[in-house]
Amino acid sequence: MVIEKKIQQAAEHIRQNGLVIFPTETVYGIGANAYSDLACQEIFKIKNRPMINPLIVHVATFSQAYEIGYFSEEAKTLVERLWPGPISVVVKLKDKNISKYVTSGLETIAIRMPCHDIAQKLITEANLPIAAPSANPSNYISATSYEHVFNDFTDKNIIILEGDDSKIGIESTIVDLSIPGEFSILRPGFIQAEDIIKISQLKEGGLKNDIVKAPGMLKKHYSPKAKLYMNMQEGQPNDIAIEFGELTIIGPSKKFNLSISANLNEAAANLYKIMRQADLYAKKTKGNILVTNIPNEGIGFAINDKITRASSDN
Ligand code: TXA
Ligand code: MG
């Protein structure tokens, strides 16, 4: 079926309170009508997601965003510079008809306008805000390709829209804008504090990058089934190495490289795909996954945040 037709069908499915998996530039999302308790509850069930972990609402236009949340003039300036794009903003909830399952009962809401043709067309056709967490079982590695979601979700009632591999490859930056004049990064990503400072009058507030505090952001996250260790330089033959540029790991016979040219953007785009492949190998060899040291600069900070959580036991 041509993609346009499939998007129309998927939009109708959303309106009927069904679930749709769709590609975005960050990771694939699993979406539902943000006004429907039933549909949003279904997301939590399918993902086995704790109810305290609120969802991000995806919009296609600025007016849609401004109807859902209260945006200060500064907040408007910021999103109008960065949307559509890989950033979600947390603002005070305005539209009380949004399902309480989206916000986990909070007075704030996370909103994002994705920069992906299929995602935008789906939201526009559905003519509704779409609540969508990442399309992966809760705590498992996020999905950045059609193949990943196809393998993880076999439920016939879910429509999957096939797109290209996610270009950015890690989740959107989440910025709290609920305090006037301030911004705080709740989850690091492609867009960083320096970018926000450059284009807005907002001052960086209380919550700093290193105390990621979005509700539901449990320490253990993005986790493979195998044990994962970070900042490694050597291991055993049955271990699986994840290297970066010339930062190699001595010992393991199976090796992946996040970016041979040591490009951090490329490493982010490859991260989840390689973690999933490494996990498959580790299952066969009964080894561990060993990740080399990744420079903690630019998007490397977000990559390290993901790897730290992937290596956490709890
Ligand atoms: O890139 C992305 O953001 C992807 C794609 C699909 O858009 N979505 C995504 O959703 O990563 P998810 O569910 O995996 O992460 C949503 C996170 C929650 O874990 C929570 O920490 C934060 O968003 N969040 C949602 N609502 C919030 C709120 N009102 N206040 C603070 N954090 C919130
Ligand atoms: Mg997620």
Side-chain angles (χ1 to χ4, degrees):
M1 199 189 303
V2 283
I3 188 73
E4 256 68 27
K5 189 102 188 92
K6 189 112 200 234
I7 294 172
Q8 276 174 14
Q9 196 188 63
E12 183 54 32
H13 197 55
I14 293 276
R15 280 195 296 272
Q16 303 292 328
N17 298 333
L19 302 186
V20 173
I21 294 177
F22 58 97
T24 86
E25 76 279 24
T26 56
V27 295
Y28 274 66
I30 178 164
N33 173 0
Y35 290 121
S36 163
D37 282 352
L38 206 72
C40 292
Q41 251 180 320
E42 199 56 30
I43 288 184
F44 285 86
K45 261 193 240 156
I46 293 270
K47 282 194 51 137
N48 195 17
R49 181 181 177 99
M51 284 295 195
I52 51 146
N53 194 353
L55 309 176
I56 297 173
V57 165
H58 294 63
V59 297
T61 62
F62 290 100
S63 56
Q64 206 175 20
Y66 302 157
E67 276 165 28
I68 296 170
Y70 289 104
F71 284 72
S72 65
E73 283 311 310
E74 290 151 330
K76 283 184 179 169
T77 307
L78 185 74
V79 294
E80 285 167 21
R81 288 291 297 275
L82 297 174
W83 278 352
I87 184 164
S88 302
V89 298
V90 173
V91 293
K92 293 242 155 62
L93 176 67
K94 184 171 170 187
D95 184 348
K96 299 290 190 299
N97 291 319
I98 294 281
S99 167
K100 58 186 178 297
Y101 294 102
V102 172
T103 55
S104 299
L106 295 170
E107 287 174 1
T108 54
I109 184 159
I111 308 177
R112 160 162 132 82
M113 190 192 290
C115 179
H116 192 290
D117 203 37
I118 294 177
Q120 284 186 0
K121 283 185 180 148
L122 174 70
I123 305 162
T124 306
E125 283 278 340
N127 201 19
L128 286 166
I130 297 183
S134 50
N136 53 280
S138 194
N139 283 345
Y140 193 61
I141 306 163
S142 309
T144 52
S145 80
Y146 175 69
E147 196 196 335
H148 298 162
V149 290
F150 186 79
N151 288 335
D152 286 347
F153 296 91
T154 46
D155 191 319
K156 293 279 176 300
N157 292 322
I158 302 176
I159 293 182
I160 304 180
L161 293 175
E162 179 172 0
D164 46 3
D165 288 1
S166 301
K167 297 234 155 37
I168 294 198
I170 56 171
E171 286 82 350
S172 62
T173 306
I174 302 181
V175 183
D176 185 351
L177 298 179
S178 62
I179 300 170
E182 283 188 8
F183 78 91
S184 296
I185 306 245
L186 303 181
R187 178 173 74 181
F190 181 79
I191 293 172
Q192 291 139 44
E194 299 79 71
D195 303 318
I196 296 174
I197 290 163
K198 251 183 244 158
I199 59 169
S200 81
Q201 305 292 316
L202 296 164
K203 300 260 172 309
E204 191 165 11
L207 300 169
K208 283 275 176 342
N209 276 3
D210 55 347
I211 44 166
V212 179
K213 251 195 172 169
M217 285 271 295
L218 310 171
K219 182 127 196 282
K220 181 178 167 69
H221 212 123
Y222 318 107
S223 308
K225 300 210 166 58
K227 190 91 194 73
L228 182 146
Y229 295 92
M230 60 192 300
N231 298 328
M232 298 300 287
Q233 272 126 40
E234 64 179 286
Q236 301 302 314
N238 66 330
D239 290 336
I240 319 298
I242 300 185
E243 305 180 326
F244 176 76
E246 289 175 0
L247 299 171
T248 52
I249 300 173
I250 300 160
S253 25
K254 183 68 195 169
K255 292 172 173 230
F256 294 94
N257 200 308
L258 290 170
S259 167
I260 290 167
S261 60
N263 177 315
L264 285 168
N265 287 335
E266 187 185 18
N270 285 330
L271 181 67
Y272 292 141
K273 191 196 299 176
I274 287 181
M275 273 169 63
R276 280 171 177 258
Q277 285 170 345
D279 205 19
L280 281 180
Y281 270 98
K283 196 175 166 190
K284 280 188 251 162
T285 66
K286 307 215 176 344
N288 298 314
I289 301 173
L290 312 181
V291 188
T292 189
N293 185 50
I294 309 286
N296 213 21
E297 60 198 45
I299 199 171
F301 185 83
I303 296 174
N304 278 317
D305 176 64
K306 311 295 174 202
I307 298 172
T308 307
R309 290 168 197 279
S311 71
S312 173
D313 286 327
N314 44 50

Tab-separated table of all heavy atoms in Angstrom, residues 43-81:
chain	number	residue	atom	x	y	z
A	43	ILE	N	-1.426	2.067	25.905
A	43	ILE	CA	0.021	2.250	25.704
A	43	ILE	C	0.787	1.710	26.911
A	43	ILE	O	1.791	1.015	26.775
A	43	ILE	CB	0.374	3.748	25.517
A	43	ILE	CG1	-0.094	4.238	24.156
A	43	ILE	CG2	1.862	3.986	25.681
A	43	ILE	CD1	0.289	5.681	23.856
A	44	PHE	N	0.300	2.054	28.108
A	44	PHE	CA	0.990	1.605	29.330
A	44	PHE	C	0.991	0.080	29.421
A	44	PHE	O	1.973	-0.524	29.806
A	44	PHE	CB	0.327	2.223	30.568
A	44	PHE	CG	0.659	3.678	30.742
A	44	PHE	CD1	-0.082	4.665	30.116
A	44	PHE	CD2	1.746	4.068	31.519
A	44	PHE	CE1	0.236	6.007	30.250
A	44	PHE	CE2	2.076	5.407	31.661
A	44	PHE	CZ	1.319	6.387	31.028
A	45	LYS	N	-0.161	-0.507	29.027
A	45	LYS	CA	-0.284	-1.977	29.082
A	45	LYS	C	0.691	-2.631	28.121
A	45	LYS	O	1.445	-3.523	28.490
A	45	LYS	CB	-1.721	-2.382	28.704
A	45	LYS	CG	-2.584	-2.673	29.918
A	45	LYS	CD	-3.864	-3.356	29.467
A	45	LYS	CE	-5.067	-2.506	29.870
A	45	LYS	NZ	-6.259	-2.723	29.064
A	46	ILE	N	0.652	-2.185	26.858
A	46	ILE	CA	1.475	-2.792	25.804
A	46	ILE	C	2.960	-2.675	26.118
A	46	ILE	O	3.749	-3.581	25.862
A	46	ILE	CB	1.185	-2.094	24.439
A	46	ILE	CG1	-0.227	-2.390	23.983
A	46	ILE	CG2	2.220	-2.432	23.388
A	46	ILE	CD1	-0.384	-3.629	23.128
A	47	LYS	N	3.358	-1.532	26.675
A	47	LYS	CA	4.780	-1.300	26.957
A	47	LYS	C	5.199	-1.839	28.321
A	47	LYS	O	6.378	-1.839	28.641
A	47	LYS	CB	5.086	0.209	26.944
A	47	LYS	CG	5.213	0.807	25.566
A	47	LYS	CD	5.841	2.202	25.638
A	47	LYS	CE	7.112	2.273	26.420
A	47	LYS	NZ	8.187	3.051	25.848
A	48	ASN	N	4.200	-2.208	29.134
A	48	ASN	CA	4.469	-2.574	30.519
A	48	ASN	C	5.165	-1.404	31.237
A	48	ASN	O	6.173	-1.558	31.913
A	48	ASN	CB	5.327	-3.850	30.556
A	48	ASN	CG	5.329	-4.480	31.922
A	48	ASN	OD1	4.463	-4.168	32.735
A	48	ASN	ND2	6.304	-5.326	32.195
A	49	ARG	N	4.586	-0.225	31.020
A	49	ARG	CA	5.192	1.029	31.495
A	49	ARG	C	4.585	1.435	32.832
A	49	ARG	O	3.356	1.382	32.992
A	49	ARG	CB	4.915	2.105	30.445
A	49	ARG	CG	5.485	3.490	30.726
A	49	ARG	CD	5.071	4.410	29.582
A	49	ARG	NE	5.483	5.785	29.721
A	49	ARG	CZ	6.551	6.305	29.117
A	49	ARG	NH1	7.321	5.563	28.365
A	49	ARG	NH2	6.833	7.587	29.262
A	50	PRO	N	5.414	1.844	33.810
A	50	PRO	CA	4.839	2.290	35.083
A	50	PRO	C	3.929	3.515	34.874
A	50	PRO	O	4.268	4.403	34.098
A	50	PRO	CB	6.060	2.681	35.930
A	50	PRO	CG	7.265	2.268	35.167
A	50	PRO	CD	6.862	1.952	33.764
A	51	MET	N	2.787	3.521	35.558
A	51	MET	CA	1.793	4.588	35.383
A	51	MET	C	2.320	5.972	35.784
A	51	MET	O	1.760	6.988	35.376
A	51	MET	CB	0.540	4.279	36.214
A	51	MET	CG	-0.311	3.209	35.593
A	51	MET	SD	-0.985	3.787	34.020
A	51	MET	CE	-2.241	2.593	33.730
A	52	ILE	N	3.375	6.006	36.591
A	52	ILE	CA	3.897	7.296	37.047
A	52	ILE	C	4.763	7.969	35.973
A	52	ILE	O	5.270	9.060	36.183
A	52	ILE	CB	4.774	7.163	38.311
A	52	ILE	CG1	5.853	6.079	38.082
A	52	ILE	CG2	3.951	6.869	39.550
A	52	ILE	CD1	7.153	6.344	38.761
A	53	ASN	N	4.952	7.303	34.846
A	53	ASN	CA	5.844	7.824	33.801
A	53	ASN	C	5.026	8.523	32.715
A	53	ASN	O	4.479	7.866	31.834
A	53	ASN	CB	6.644	6.658	33.225
A	53	ASN	CG	7.812	7.118	32.393
A	53	ASN	OD1	7.962	8.308	32.128
A	53	ASN	ND2	8.623	6.186	31.957
A	54	PRO	N	4.935	9.855	32.748
A	54	PRO	CA	4.042	10.563	31.816
A	54	PRO	C	4.511	10.486	30.361
A	54	PRO	O	5.670	10.204	30.088
A	54	PRO	CB	4.068	12.005	32.322
A	54	PRO	CG	5.339	12.129	33.087
A	54	PRO	CD	5.656	10.781	33.632
A	55	LEU	N	3.576	10.753	29.447
A	55	LEU	CA	3.859	10.634	28.011
A	55	LEU	C	4.109	12.011	27.388
A	55	LEU	O	3.741	13.033	27.961
A	55	LEU	CB	2.652	9.995	27.305
A	55	LEU	CG	2.123	8.693	27.901
A	55	LEU	CD1	0.866	8.248	27.154
A	55	LEU	CD2	3.192	7.602	27.843
A	56	ILE	N	4.729	12.026	26.220
A	56	ILE	CA	4.926	13.274	25.476
A	56	ILE	C	3.814	13.380	24.432
A	56	ILE	O	3.506	12.401	23.746
A	56	ILE	CB	6.306	13.279	24.784
A	56	ILE	CG1	7.420	13.229	25.834
A	56	ILE	CG2	6.455	14.502	23.878
A	56	ILE	CD1	8.824	13.067	25.261
A	57	VAL	N	3.210	14.567	24.339
A	57	VAL	CA	2.175	14.780	23.329
A	57	VAL	C	2.806	15.377	22.071
A	57	VAL	O	3.568	16.334	22.142
A	57	VAL	CB	1.073	15.719	23.880
A	57	VAL	CG1	0.211	16.250	22.762
A	57	VAL	CG2	0.214	14.955	24.855
A	58	HIS	N	2.480	14.781	20.929
A	58	HIS	CA	3.052	15.213	19.658
A	58	HIS	C	2.028	16.038	18.882
A	58	HIS	O	0.883	15.619	18.740
A	58	HIS	CB	3.494	13.992	18.841
A	58	HIS	CG	4.625	13.242	19.480
A	58	HIS	ND1	4.498	12.622	20.701
A	58	HIS	CD2	5.904	13.042	19.092
A	58	HIS	CE1	5.657	12.066	21.026
A	58	HIS	NE2	6.532	12.304	20.065
A	59	VAL	N	2.475	17.195	18.399
A	59	VAL	CA	1.587	18.097	17.662
A	59	VAL	C	2.178	18.381	16.279
A	59	VAL	O	3.369	18.139	16.048
A	59	VAL	CB	1.385	19.427	18.425
A	59	VAL	CG1	0.708	19.205	19.772
A	59	VAL	CG2	2.722	20.166	18.617
A	60	ALA	N	1.313	18.918	15.394
A	60	ALA	CA	1.787	19.242	14.036
A	60	ALA	C	1.869	20.746	13.816
A	60	ALA	O	2.513	21.201	12.874
A	60	ALA	CB	0.859	18.606	13.007
A	61	THR	N	1.196	21.533	14.677
A	61	THR	CA	1.203	23.001	14.484
A	61	THR	C	1.453	23.702	15.819
A	61	THR	O	1.224	23.136	16.893
A	61	THR	CB	-0.152	23.504	13.943
A	61	THR	OG1	-1.161	23.210	14.924
A	61	THR	CG2	-0.516	22.859	12.617
A	62	PHE	N	1.869	24.979	15.711
A	62	PHE	CA	2.094	25.772	16.922
A	62	PHE	C	0.770	26.054	17.622
A	62	PHE	O	0.695	25.993	18.847
A	62	PHE	CB	2.833	27.071	16.572
A	62	PHE	CG	4.247	26.809	16.166
A	62	PHE	CD1	4.623	26.774	14.829
A	62	PHE	CD2	5.223	26.550	17.125
A	62	PHE	CE1	5.931	26.484	14.456
A	62	PHE	CE2	6.528	26.265	16.766
A	62	PHE	CZ	6.883	26.236	15.429
A	63	SER	N	-0.284	26.335	16.837
A	63	SER	CA	-1.557	26.657	17.501
A	63	SER	C	-2.061	25.460	18.303
A	63	SER	O	-2.613	25.626	19.397
A	63	SER	CB	-2.597	27.154	16.497
A	63	SER	OG	-2.766	26.209	15.490
A	64	GLN	N	-1.823	24.263	17.799
A	64	GLN	CA	-2.214	23.059	18.539
A	64	GLN	C	-1.454	23.008	19.881
A	64	GLN	O	-2.050	22.737	20.924
A	64	GLN	CB	-1.858	21.830	17.683
A	64	GLN	CG	-2.682	20.606	17.959
A	64	GLN	CD	-2.343	19.476	16.964
A	64	GLN	OE1	-1.282	19.473	16.328
A	64	GLN	NE2	-3.251	18.520	16.844
A	65	ALA	N	-0.155	23.304	19.832
A	65	ALA	CA	0.662	23.298	21.060
A	65	ALA	C	0.153	24.339	22.045
A	65	ALA	O	0.025	24.063	23.253
A	65	ALA	CB	2.126	23.569	20.720
A	66	TYR	N	-0.172	25.543	21.528
A	66	TYR	CA	-0.579	26.638	22.414
A	66	TYR	C	-1.976	26.431	23.006
A	66	TYR	O	-2.331	27.062	23.984
A	66	TYR	CB	-0.496	27.983	21.679
A	66	TYR	CG	0.895	28.299	21.141
A	66	TYR	CD1	1.078	29.187	20.084
A	66	TYR	CD2	2.030	27.696	21.688
A	66	TYR	CE1	2.345	29.461	19.578
A	66	TYR	CE2	3.298	27.955	21.182
A	66	TYR	CZ	3.450	28.833	20.129
A	66	TYR	OH	4.710	29.092	19.644
A	67	GLU	N	-2.753	25.540	22.370
A	67	GLU	CA	-4.063	25.204	22.944
A	67	GLU	C	-3.915	24.208	24.092
A	67	GLU	O	-4.723	24.156	24.995
A	67	GLU	CB	-4.966	24.567	21.878
A	67	GLU	CG	-5.681	25.590	21.014
A	67	GLU	CD	-6.267	24.961	19.761
A	67	GLU	OE1	-6.596	23.754	19.774
A	67	GLU	OE2	-6.358	25.689	18.752
A	68	ILE	N	-2.860	23.411	24.033
A	68	ILE	CA	-2.685	22.344	25.038
A	68	ILE	C	-1.970	22.844	26.293
A	68	ILE	O	-2.283	22.455	27.407
A	68	ILE	CB	-1.905	21.161	24.408
A	68	ILE	CG1	-2.734	20.547	23.281
A	68	ILE	CG2	-1.553	20.106	25.451
A	68	ILE	CD1	-1.966	19.539	22.448
A	69	GLY	N	-0.954	23.718	26.093
A	69	GLY	CA	-0.168	24.183	27.242
A	69	GLY	C	-0.062	25.690	27.267
A	69	GLY	O	-0.303	26.364	26.260
A	70	TYR	N	0.282	26.235	28.445
A	70	TYR	CA	0.531	27.674	28.572
A	70	TYR	C	1.980	27.951	28.191
A	70	TYR	O	2.895	27.448	28.842
A	70	TYR	CB	0.294	28.136	30.007
A	70	TYR	CG	-1.163	28.137	30.407
A	70	TYR	CD1	-1.669	27.130	31.241
A	70	TYR	CD2	-2.027	29.133	29.964
A	70	TYR	CE1	-3.010	27.123	31.616
A	70	TYR	CE2	-3.372	29.126	30.336
A	70	TYR	CZ	-3.850	28.129	31.161
A	70	TYR	OH	-5.168	28.121	31.517
A	71	PHE	N	2.199	28.753	27.165
A	71	PHE	CA	3.545	29.111	26.712
A	71	PHE	C	3.767	30.592	26.969
A	71	PHE	O	2.977	31.427	26.507
A	71	PHE	CB	3.706	28.845	25.207
A	71	PHE	CG	3.874	27.396	24.840
A	71	PHE	CD1	2.808	26.516	24.922
A	71	PHE	CD2	5.110	26.913	24.407
A	71	PHE	CE1	2.959	25.177	24.580
A	71	PHE	CE2	5.272	25.573	24.067
A	71	PHE	CZ	4.197	24.701	24.149
A	72	SER	N	4.832	30.937	27.676
A	72	SER	CA	5.198	32.344	27.839
A	72	SER	C	5.722	32.837	26.489
A	72	SER	O	5.988	32.027	25.586
A	72	SER	CB	6.292	32.471	28.900
A	72	SER	OG	7.464	31.826	28.425
A	73	GLU	N	5.895	34.153	26.351
A	73	GLU	CA	6.438	34.695	25.100
A	73	GLU	C	7.820	34.090	24.820
A	73	GLU	O	8.156	33.749	23.688
A	73	GLU	CB	6.523	36.230	25.162
A	73	GLU	CG	5.170	36.922	24.971
A	73	GLU	CD	4.387	36.421	23.762
A	73	GLU	OE1	4.955	36.364	22.659
A	73	GLU	OE2	3.187	36.064	23.927
A	74	GLU	N	8.620	33.967	25.883
A	74	GLU	CA	9.972	33.390	25.721
A	74	GLU	C	9.900	31.935	25.271
A	74	GLU	O	10.684	31.487	24.435
A	74	GLU	CB	10.737	33.437	27.047
A	74	GLU	CG	11.135	34.832	27.463
A	74	GLU	CD	11.224	34.956	28.963
A	74	GLU	OE1	10.472	34.241	29.676
A	74	GLU	OE2	12.044	35.758	29.429
A	75	ALA	N	8.943	31.210	25.841
A	75	ALA	CA	8.783	29.794	25.470
A	75	ALA	C	8.365	29.689	24.005
A	75	ALA	O	8.848	28.825	23.271
A	75	ALA	CB	7.759	29.125	26.381
A	76	LYS	N	7.485	30.623	23.590
A	76	LYS	CA	7.045	30.618	22.181
A	76	LYS	C	8.232	30.887	21.264
A	76	LYS	O	8.408	30.213	20.251
A	76	LYS	CB	5.967	31.681	21.947
A	76	LYS	CG	4.604	31.269	22.464
A	76	LYS	CD	3.559	32.323	22.127
A	76	LYS	CE	2.192	31.884	22.627
A	76	LYS	NZ	1.198	32.943	22.574
A	77	THR	N	9.042	31.876	21.628
A	77	THR	CA	10.219	32.204	20.806
A	77	THR	C	11.101	30.971	20.663
A	77	THR	O	11.568	30.649	19.569
A	77	THR	CB	11.043	33.337	21.477
A	77	THR	OG1	10.160	34.408	21.743
A	77	THR	CG2	12.182	33.808	20.596
A	78	LEU	N	11.303	30.278	21.777
A	78	LEU	CA	12.183	29.106	21.755
A	78	LEU	C	11.651	28.012	20.833
A	78	LEU	O	12.363	27.526	19.950
A	78	LEU	CB	12.354	28.557	23.184
A	78	LEU	CG	13.336	27.408	23.292
A	78	LEU	CD1	14.759	27.917	23.157
A	78	LEU	CD2	13.175	26.662	24.605
A	79	VAL	N	10.392	27.626	21.027
A	79	VAL	CA	9.882	26.512	20.209
A	79	VAL	C	9.754	26.927	18.731
A	79	VAL	O	9.957	26.105	17.850
A	79	VAL	CB	8.563	25.894	20.737
A	79	VAL	CG1	8.778	25.220	22.074
A	79	VAL	CG2	7.424	26.904	20.800
A	80	GLU	N	9.472	28.215	18.504
A	80	GLU	CA	9.354	28.633	17.103
A	80	GLU	C	10.705	28.613	16.386
A	80	GLU	O	10.775	28.559	15.173
A	80	GLU	CB	8.643	29.997	17.014
A	80	GLU	CG	7.139	29.818	17.255
A	80	GLU	CD	6.347	31.102	17.492
A	80	GLU	OE1	6.828	32.176	17.098
A	80	GLU	OE2	5.248	31.001	18.079
A	81	ARG	N	11.781	28.643	17.150
A	81	ARG	CA	13.123	28.493	16.566
A	81	ARG	C	13.506	27.015	16.384
A	81	ARG	O	14.240	26.667	15.466
A	81	ARG	CB	14.177	29.160	17.469
A	81	ARG	CG	14.139	30.681	17.463
A	81	ARG	CD	14.586	31.289	16.133
A	81	ARG	NE	15.982	30.992	15.793
A	81	ARG	CZ	17.025	31.684	16.202
A	81	ARG	NH1	16.850	32.743	16.973
A	81	ARG	NH2	18.238	31.350	15.848
